[in-house]
Amino acid sequence: MRAATSTTYGPPDVVRITTLPDPVPGPRDLLVRNRASTLAAAGVAARSGTPWFARLAFGLRRPRYPVLGGEVAGEVVAVGAEVAGFTVGDRVTALTRRGAGAHAELVVVPADGAVVPTPRGLSDVDAAVLAAGPLTALPFLTDHARLRPGAQVLVIGASGCVGTAAVQLAVVAGAHVTAVCGPRGLDLVRALGAAEVVDRTQRDATAKPSAAGAVDTTRYDVVFDVAGASSYRRCRNLLTDDGAYLTTVPSAAILARTLWSARRAGGRRGVVAFTGLKSTELQRATLREALALGSSGALRAVVDQEYPLDRIADAHRHVEHEHKAGTVVVALG
């Protein structure tokens, strides 16, 4: 089979297409012919080894997992002898262990892992996209945001992979969403339901009202910074008395704030969460929910650009250097 591999950290060109032996499923595994996966900021960090904390997860000196990619969407081509509930030909969507191994034509996934049937009506590309951003946004908004209808929500980085999911999920929950993004994503986030849109190149939505150019005095129940573009300290005065600043990007400051917030029953909170470390059962449940929302039309799979496996280095360059409007897809067939 062909796979995108990288054995050293570096620029996009360290990712090469290589031919590997076809994987053999164990008695409790499924072998899936992968049709679509995605590439987001976490994949770029795993390839480049930056920022520094990425190496804690992916290997200190060199990549621990040569094949990257966390989402699999395709059909089952072999079933282990002890597997029940899946048959050859089933369309499935799955998350790989440790977010690695999916940028390959064939992928082994545990049958009792984070794998679910792909709903009818969803393409493999749609399923892969719904298995990406929403798998981060859903736990943040359901477990940490305490969303209620009418809540004021500010999404920073609203036009990317996680951001487009966050905007839609907050709208579905009945929140009033203000979306912050670059010029390319303004029309997109409006179409996804954002009530207000801020062009980050024209105005700093996190600036204090007294600062030059700051005109918004709204206080938010939730500030969801999916891009790591701000901080709890900077956004604290934007929060309601019981509001939460959520971010997907770890730092020493937000880790300390998360621990402090966990000790308090109320007040303003700052939270970073590692959704990839959740139990298999919770990941499977979240995956099933995301696909169901997509199948029902409540959640749209937003594709920025689709790259064939042969152009995986270009996909890395695109994610690393351009402001996306949606999710970058890696097509494998």
Side-chain angles (χ1 to χ4, degrees):
M1 69 167 185
R2 296 190 313 150
T5 62
S6 55
T7 57
T8 184
Y9 291 125
D13 288 331
V14 301
V15 186
R16 307 287 180 85
I17 304 303
T18 57
T19 300
L20 302 176
D22 289 355
V24 178
R28 300 180 182 179
D29 295 332
L30 305 174
L31 181 63
V32 179
R33 183 170 300 283
N34 197 12
R35 300 297 188 187
S37 188
T38 74
L39 179 66
V44 168
R47 182 263 304 157
S48 65
T50 57
W52 64 268
F53 53 76
R55 298 193 181 212
L56 298 178
F58 302 117
L60 293 178
R61 299 181 62 186
R62 61 181 63 86
R64 187 177 294 124
Y65 314 111
V67 180
L68 302 178
E71 303 84 26
V72 176
E75 67 270 4
V76 176
V77 294
V79 177
E82 299 178 19
V83 172
F86 293 97
T87 60
V88 171
D90 286 349
R91 294 182 61 234
V92 296
T93 306
L95 306 177
T96 60
R97 289 173 172 169
R98 301 173 296 275
H103 291 170
E105 293 174 327
L106 294 170
V107 183
V108 170
V109 297
D112 61 354
V115 54
V116 300
T118 302
R120 288 186 177 183
L122 283 184
S123 69
D124 292 326
V125 167
D126 286 347
V129 172
L130 292 168
L135 268 289
T136 296
L138 265 169
F140 269 96
L141 294 177
T142 57
D143 298 344
H144 303 292
R146 303 176 188 171
L147 275 186
R148 61 184 185 279
Q152 292 281 347
V153 176
L154 178 69
V155 180
I156 302 173
S159 63
C161 176
V162 178
T164 51
V167 169
Q168 294 180 83
L169 292 168
V171 169
V172 168
H176 181 281
V177 178
T178 300
V180 181
C181 62
R184 185 181 174 213
L186 297 176
D187 290 338
L188 170 63
V189 294
R190 285 193 189 98
L192 296 178
E196 299 179 48
V197 174
V198 177
D199 182 344
R200 62 174 177 76
T201 66
Q202 300 298 316
R203 180 163 71 86
D204 182 357
T206 67
K208 295 179 180 179
S210 59
V215 296
D216 188 3
T217 59
T218 303
R219 297 179 76 196
Y220 298 96
D221 300 289
V222 178
V223 174
F224 190 8
D225 180 6
V226 305
S230 192
S231 66
Y232 172 80
R233 182 177 181 180
R234 184 169 180 82
C235 293
R236 185 180 186 279
N237 290 331
L238 298 178
L239 298 173
T240 59
D241 292 342
D242 198 33
Y245 170 82
L246 314 176
T247 183
T248 62
V249 181
S251 68
I254 193 60
L255 287 169
R257 176 57 57 179
T258 300
L259 294 174
W260 174 253
S261 298
R263 299 171 59 186
R264 306 169 64 201
R268 294 168 178 157
R269 295 167 289 126
V271 178
V272 62
F274 302 95
T275 55
L277 300 180
K278 287 185 174 292
S279 69
T280 297
E281 291 74 16
L282 288 175
Q283 287 187 332
R284 183 168 55 242
T286 305
L287 177 59
R288 194 182 301 276
E289 181 179 0
L291 294 179
L293 287 168
S295 181
S296 71
L299 188 59
R300 171 182 159 193
V302 183
V303 177
D304 173 84
Q305 195 161 331
E306 189 173 323
Y307 288 88
L309 186 62
D310 288 333
R311 293 184 59 204
I312 189 68
D314 290 335
H316 276 266
R317 274 186 282 271
H318 181 71
V319 174
E320 188 168 19
H321 299 297
E322 299 184 30
H323 297 292
K324 299 184 285 87
T327 301
V328 169
V329 172
V330 178
L332 294 109

